[in-house]
Amino acid sequence: MKEFKGILAALLTPYDACGNVNHKALKTQVRWLINQGIDGFYVCGSTGEAFLLSQDERKAILETVAEENNGEKLLISHVGQISTDHALDLGKHAKSVGVDAISSISPFYYKFSTEEIKQYYFDLMNGMEMPFFIYNFPAFSGFSLTPELLDEMCKCPWVAGVKFTASDFFQLERMKKSHPELSVWNGYDEMLLSGLSAGADGGIGSTYNVLCPAIHKIYDSYLEGDSKKALDYQHVANDMIAAICKFGVFPSIKAILGFEGMDFGCCRKPFAPLSEEGKAELKKSYVAYQKNLAQL
């Protein structure tokens, strides 16, 4: 059984000129990242525009990634939906595809109670009976997983850990100390080193799609006990992340993949397309990132 640790790319969804999912480009991206040393893939999460995709599209995307990955790296399927039944449908399909684990954001928009959200997770875990990662992203979902609530969740034997996309590293440290058997993934790319220092077992990130070499150096240097070197690589990564955030994370990453010869198209509306001026500035930043990385 694979260990739940390391650096995982939260995959983007490429589209063709007609706005359909571009499965050929997706396979190219998966193989490119494997060759760059990525440890796994998180499929159809926020970065993959999950909530702009149909159920069938999400299933087809997962099948494409699983086919190209062919069991080489970790594969986690995000099945989050507002509807428990829709999430279960995606989860059962993911299990049939042979993923290593399932993950889900908490149901959102309707301001569900804590008890309702707990039941959502228990329904999913008991309905799929396989390793499950709770996706904690309070800035987007409006719900925050607490260490006390995680204690209750751990009554279910299928809890494998948490995807922790938050900046409260005290909470991350408390969760990991109380449950060292769980795997915790750091979610904010620009704070990977902070998350590792608080006890995270690795990271899942959007920018890892284009910054894998620098990001993995942060991880490797930290494990080797060289915090200074890890911080140097975090600085290099963060210079590029700052440029990416300036123009919109997902459109910017797709543009950078275009610099590498992979046409990912635009994000689906209502995301706005990236301007030519933005692409030009990103190109300069990406060239500088590559130069700075090579000098370390």
Side-chain angles (χ1 to χ4, degrees), residues 175-212:
M175 291 177 183
K176 188 65 182 178
K177 184 176 187 296
S178 297
H179 299 281
E181 76 283 1
L182 298 183
S183 293
V184 177
W185 305 98
N186 183 78
Y188 280 133
D189 306 11
E190 65 273 26
M191 302 184 211
L192 174 60
L193 181 55
S194 302
L196 293 172
S197 299
D201 300 276
I204 297 174
S206 307
T207 65
Y208 299 5
N209 286 280
V210 291
L211 304 181
C212 179

Short mmCIF file of all heavy atoms in Angstrom, two decimals, residues 175-212:
data_model
loop_
_atom_site.label_atom_id
_atom_site.label_comp_id
_atom_site.label_asym_id
_atom_site.label_seq_id
_atom_site.Cartn_x
_atom_site.Cartn_y
_atom_site.Cartn_z
N MET A 175 -3.92 18.80 15.49
CA MET A 175 -4.49 17.64 14.82
C MET A 175 -3.46 16.53 14.66
O MET A 175 -3.72 15.35 14.94
CB MET A 175 -5.03 18.04 13.44
CG MET A 175 -6.26 18.93 13.47
SD MET A 175 -6.76 19.41 11.78
CE MET A 175 -8.14 20.51 12.15
N LYS A 176 -2.27 16.92 14.23
CA LYS A 176 -1.22 15.91 13.99
C LYS A 176 -0.71 15.31 15.30
O LYS A 176 -0.42 14.11 15.37
CB LYS A 176 -0.07 16.56 13.21
CG LYS A 176 0.97 15.57 12.73
CD LYS A 176 0.42 14.58 11.70
CE LYS A 176 1.50 13.59 11.30
NZ LYS A 176 1.00 12.58 10.35
N LYS A 177 -0.61 16.14 16.33
CA LYS A 177 -0.15 15.61 17.63
C LYS A 177 -1.15 14.62 18.20
O LYS A 177 -0.78 13.59 18.76
CB LYS A 177 0.09 16.75 18.62
CG LYS A 177 0.68 16.29 19.96
CD LYS A 177 0.99 17.45 20.87
CE LYS A 177 1.72 16.96 22.13
NZ LYS A 177 0.88 16.06 22.95
N SER A 178 -2.44 14.95 18.08
CA SER A 178 -3.47 14.07 18.62
C SER A 178 -3.66 12.80 17.79
O SER A 178 -4.06 11.77 18.32
CB SER A 178 -4.81 14.82 18.71
OG SER A 178 -4.73 15.91 19.59
N HIS A 179 -3.37 12.92 16.50
CA HIS A 179 -3.58 11.78 15.59
C HIS A 179 -2.36 11.58 14.69
O HIS A 179 -2.42 11.83 13.48
CB HIS A 179 -4.84 12.01 14.75
CG HIS A 179 -6.09 12.14 15.56
ND1 HIS A 179 -6.75 11.06 16.09
CD2 HIS A 179 -6.77 13.25 15.96
CE1 HIS A 179 -7.81 11.49 16.77
NE2 HIS A 179 -7.83 12.80 16.72
N PRO A 180 -1.24 11.16 15.25
CA PRO A 180 -0.03 10.99 14.45
C PRO A 180 -0.17 9.93 13.36
O PRO A 180 0.61 9.92 12.41
CB PRO A 180 1.03 10.57 15.49
CG PRO A 180 0.24 10.01 16.64
CD PRO A 180 -1.03 10.81 16.67
N GLU A 181 -1.19 9.08 13.50
CA GLU A 181 -1.41 8.05 12.48
C GLU A 181 -2.03 8.60 11.21
O GLU A 181 -2.01 7.96 10.16
CB GLU A 181 -2.31 6.93 13.06
CG GLU A 181 -3.80 7.28 13.16
CD GLU A 181 -4.17 8.19 14.34
OE1 GLU A 181 -3.26 8.59 15.09
OE2 GLU A 181 -5.37 8.49 14.50
N LEU A 182 -2.60 9.81 11.30
CA LEU A 182 -3.23 10.43 10.13
C LEU A 182 -2.20 11.16 9.28
O LEU A 182 -1.18 11.63 9.79
CB LEU A 182 -4.32 11.41 10.57
CG LEU A 182 -5.50 10.87 11.35
CD1 LEU A 182 -6.51 11.99 11.63
CD2 LEU A 182 -6.18 9.72 10.63
N SER A 183 -2.49 11.27 7.99
CA SER A 183 -1.66 12.07 7.10
C SER A 183 -2.32 13.43 6.90
O SER A 183 -3.52 13.50 6.66
CB SER A 183 -1.51 11.38 5.74
OG SER A 183 -0.76 10.18 5.87
N VAL A 184 -1.54 14.47 7.02
CA VAL A 184 -2.05 15.82 6.83
C VAL A 184 -1.31 16.46 5.68
O VAL A 184 -0.07 16.50 5.65
CB VAL A 184 -1.88 16.68 8.10
CG1 VAL A 184 -2.37 18.11 7.86
CG2 VAL A 184 -2.66 16.06 9.27
N TRP A 185 -2.07 16.96 4.69
CA TRP A 185 -1.49 17.63 3.53
C TRP A 185 -1.61 19.14 3.72
O TRP A 185 -2.70 19.65 3.98
CB TRP A 185 -2.25 17.25 2.26
CG TRP A 185 -2.35 15.79 1.99
CD1 TRP A 185 -3.42 14.99 2.27
CD2 TRP A 185 -1.37 14.94 1.38
NE1 TRP A 185 -3.17 13.69 1.87
CE2 TRP A 185 -1.91 13.63 1.32
CE3 TRP A 185 -0.09 15.17 0.88
CZ2 TRP A 185 -1.23 12.56 0.78
CZ3 TRP A 185 0.60 14.09 0.33
CH2 TRP A 185 0.05 12.80 0.29
N ASN A 186 -0.51 19.86 3.58
CA ASN A 186 -0.57 21.31 3.58
C ASN A 186 -1.22 21.78 2.28
O ASN A 186 -0.94 21.25 1.21
CB ASN A 186 0.84 21.89 3.68
CG ASN A 186 0.84 23.40 3.75
OD1 ASN A 186 0.56 23.97 4.79
ND2 ASN A 186 1.13 24.05 2.64
N GLY A 187 -2.09 22.80 2.38
CA GLY A 187 -2.84 23.23 1.21
C GLY A 187 -2.40 24.53 0.57
O GLY A 187 -2.51 24.69 -0.64
N TYR A 188 -1.89 25.47 1.34
CA TYR A 188 -1.46 26.74 0.76
C TYR A 188 -0.01 26.61 0.29
O TYR A 188 0.91 26.47 1.10
CB TYR A 188 -1.59 27.88 1.79
CG TYR A 188 -3.00 28.42 1.94
CD1 TYR A 188 -3.56 28.61 3.19
CD2 TYR A 188 -3.76 28.75 0.81
CE1 TYR A 188 -4.85 29.12 3.34
CE2 TYR A 188 -5.05 29.26 0.95
CZ TYR A 188 -5.59 29.44 2.21
OH TYR A 188 -6.87 29.95 2.34
N ASP A 189 0.19 26.70 -1.02
CA ASP A 189 1.49 26.46 -1.63
C ASP A 189 2.56 27.38 -1.05
O ASP A 189 3.70 26.96 -0.83
CB ASP A 189 1.42 26.68 -3.14
CG ASP A 189 0.33 25.86 -3.81
OD1 ASP A 189 -0.50 25.27 -3.10
OD2 ASP A 189 0.32 25.81 -5.04
N GLU A 190 2.21 28.65 -0.85
CA GLU A 190 3.17 29.64 -0.40
C GLU A 190 3.60 29.44 1.05
O GLU A 190 4.51 30.10 1.54
CB GLU A 190 2.60 31.06 -0.58
CG GLU A 190 1.39 31.37 0.27
CD GLU A 190 0.06 30.98 -0.34
OE1 GLU A 190 0.05 30.04 -1.19
OE2 GLU A 190 -0.97 31.59 0.00
N MET A 191 2.92 28.50 1.74
CA MET A 191 3.23 28.22 3.15
C MET A 191 3.61 26.76 3.37
O MET A 191 3.46 26.24 4.47
CB MET A 191 2.03 28.57 4.03
CG MET A 191 1.56 30.00 3.94
SD MET A 191 0.22 30.31 5.11
CE MET A 191 -0.71 31.55 4.21
N LEU A 192 4.12 26.11 2.34
CA LEU A 192 4.46 24.69 2.48
C LEU A 192 5.43 24.44 3.62
O LEU A 192 5.22 23.55 4.45
CB LEU A 192 5.04 24.15 1.17
CG LEU A 192 5.56 22.71 1.22
CD1 LEU A 192 4.45 21.73 1.61
CD2 LEU A 192 6.20 22.31 -0.10
N LEU A 193 6.50 25.22 3.67
CA LEU A 193 7.49 25.01 4.72
C LEU A 193 6.89 25.21 6.11
O LEU A 193 7.20 24.47 7.05
CB LEU A 193 8.68 25.95 4.52
CG LEU A 193 9.83 25.83 5.52
CD1 LEU A 193 10.36 24.41 5.59
CD2 LEU A 193 10.95 26.80 5.17
N SER A 194 6.01 26.19 6.25
CA SER A 194 5.33 26.42 7.53
C SER A 194 4.49 25.21 7.91
O SER A 194 4.48 24.78 9.07
CB SER A 194 4.44 27.66 7.43
OG SER A 194 5.18 28.80 7.08
N GLY A 195 3.78 24.65 6.94
CA GLY A 195 2.95 23.49 7.21
C GLY A 195 3.79 22.27 7.59
O GLY A 195 3.43 21.53 8.52
N LEU A 196 4.89 22.06 6.88
CA LEU A 196 5.77 20.94 7.22
C LEU A 196 6.32 21.10 8.63
O LEU A 196 6.40 20.12 9.39
CB LEU A 196 6.93 20.88 6.21
CG LEU A 196 6.56 20.51 4.77
CD1 LEU A 196 7.78 20.68 3.86
CD2 LEU A 196 6.03 19.09 4.68
N SER A 197 6.67 22.32 9.00
CA SER A 197 7.21 22.59 10.34
C SER A 197 6.18 22.30 11.43
O SER A 197 6.53 21.94 12.55
CB SER A 197 7.68 24.04 10.45
OG SER A 197 8.70 24.32 9.52
N ALA A 198 4.89 22.46 11.08
CA ALA A 198 3.81 22.21 12.05
C ALA A 198 3.40 20.74 12.08
O ALA A 198 2.56 20.36 12.90
CB ALA A 198 2.61 23.08 11.72
N GLY A 199 3.97 19.93 11.18
CA GLY A 199 3.69 18.50 11.23
C GLY A 199 3.08 17.90 9.98
O GLY A 199 2.79 16.70 9.96
N ALA A 200 2.87 18.70 8.94
CA ALA A 200 2.28 18.16 7.70
C ALA A 200 3.18 17.10 7.10
O ALA A 200 4.41 17.15 7.20
CB ALA A 200 2.04 19.28 6.70
N ASP A 201 2.57 16.13 6.44
CA ASP A 201 3.30 15.02 5.81
C ASP A 201 3.64 15.30 4.35
O ASP A 201 4.30 14.48 3.70
CB ASP A 201 2.46 13.75 5.89
CG ASP A 201 2.15 13.37 7.33
OD1 ASP A 201 3.00 12.72 7.96
OD2 ASP A 201 1.06 13.74 7.82
N GLY A 202 3.20 16.43 3.85
CA GLY A 202 3.43 16.78 2.46
C GLY A 202 2.50 17.90 2.07
O GLY A 202 1.90 18.55 2.93
N GLY A 203 2.37 18.12 0.78
CA GLY A 203 1.51 19.19 0.32
C GLY A 203 0.76 18.82 -0.94
O GLY A 203 1.21 17.98 -1.73
N ILE A 204 -0.41 19.42 -1.10
CA ILE A 204 -1.20 19.30 -2.32
C ILE A 204 -1.42 20.72 -2.81
O ILE A 204 -1.97 21.54 -2.07
CB ILE A 204 -2.55 18.61 -2.07
CG1 ILE A 204 -2.34 17.17 -1.59
CG2 ILE A 204 -3.41 18.63 -3.34
CD1 ILE A 204 -3.62 16.45 -1.19
N GLY A 205 -0.99 21.03 -4.03
CA GLY A 205 -1.08 22.42 -4.45
C GLY A 205 -1.32 22.64 -5.92
O GLY A 205 -0.99 21.80 -6.76
N SER A 206 -1.87 23.82 -6.21
CA SER A 206 -2.16 24.23 -7.59
C SER A 206 -0.88 24.53 -8.36
O SER A 206 -0.66 24.05 -9.47
CB SER A 206 -3.03 25.50 -7.59
OG SER A 206 -4.18 25.34 -6.81
N THR A 207 -0.01 25.36 -7.74
CA THR A 207 1.20 25.78 -8.44
C THR A 207 2.20 24.65 -8.61
O THR A 207 3.16 24.77 -9.37
CB THR A 207 1.87 26.96 -7.73
OG1 THR A 207 2.34 26.55 -6.44
CG2 THR A 207 0.90 28.13 -7.58
N TYR A 208 1.97 23.54 -7.92
CA TYR A 208 2.85 22.39 -8.09
C TYR A 208 2.82 21.88 -9.53
O TYR A 208 3.73 21.18 -9.96
CB TYR A 208 2.45 21.25 -7.14
CG TYR A 208 2.50 21.56 -5.66
CD1 TYR A 208 2.81 22.83 -5.19
CD2 TYR A 208 2.23 20.58 -4.72
CE1 TYR A 208 2.85 23.12 -3.83
CE2 TYR A 208 2.26 20.85 -3.36
CZ TYR A 208 2.57 22.12 -2.92
OH TYR A 208 2.60 22.39 -1.56
N ASN A 209 1.75 22.22 -10.26
CA ASN A 209 1.66 21.84 -11.67
C ASN A 209 2.80 22.42 -12.50
O ASN A 209 3.19 21.85 -13.52
CB ASN A 209 0.33 22.32 -12.27
CG ASN A 209 -0.85 21.49 -11.81
OD1 ASN A 209 -1.09 20.41 -12.32
ND2 ASN A 209 -1.59 22.00 -10.84
N VAL A 210 3.32 23.59 -12.08
CA VAL A 210 4.38 24.24 -12.84
C VAL A 210 5.65 24.50 -12.02
O VAL A 210 6.68 24.87 -12.57
CB VAL A 210 3.89 25.58 -13.44
CG1 VAL A 210 2.87 25.31 -14.54
CG2 VAL A 210 3.29 26.50 -12.38
N LEU A 211 5.58 24.30 -10.70
CA LEU A 211 6.72 24.57 -9.83
C LEU A 211 7.22 23.32 -9.12
O LEU A 211 7.88 23.41 -8.08
CB LEU A 211 6.36 25.63 -8.79
CG LEU A 211 5.83 26.97 -9.30
CD1 LEU A 211 5.56 27.91 -8.12
CD2 LEU A 211 6.81 27.62 -10.27
N CYS A 212 6.93 22.16 -9.67
CA CYS A 212 7.27 20.90 -8.99
C CYS A 212 8.73 20.82 -8.56
O CYS A 212 9.01 20.43 -7.42
CB CYS A 212 6.91 19.71 -9.88
SG CYS A 212 7.32 18.11 -9.16
#
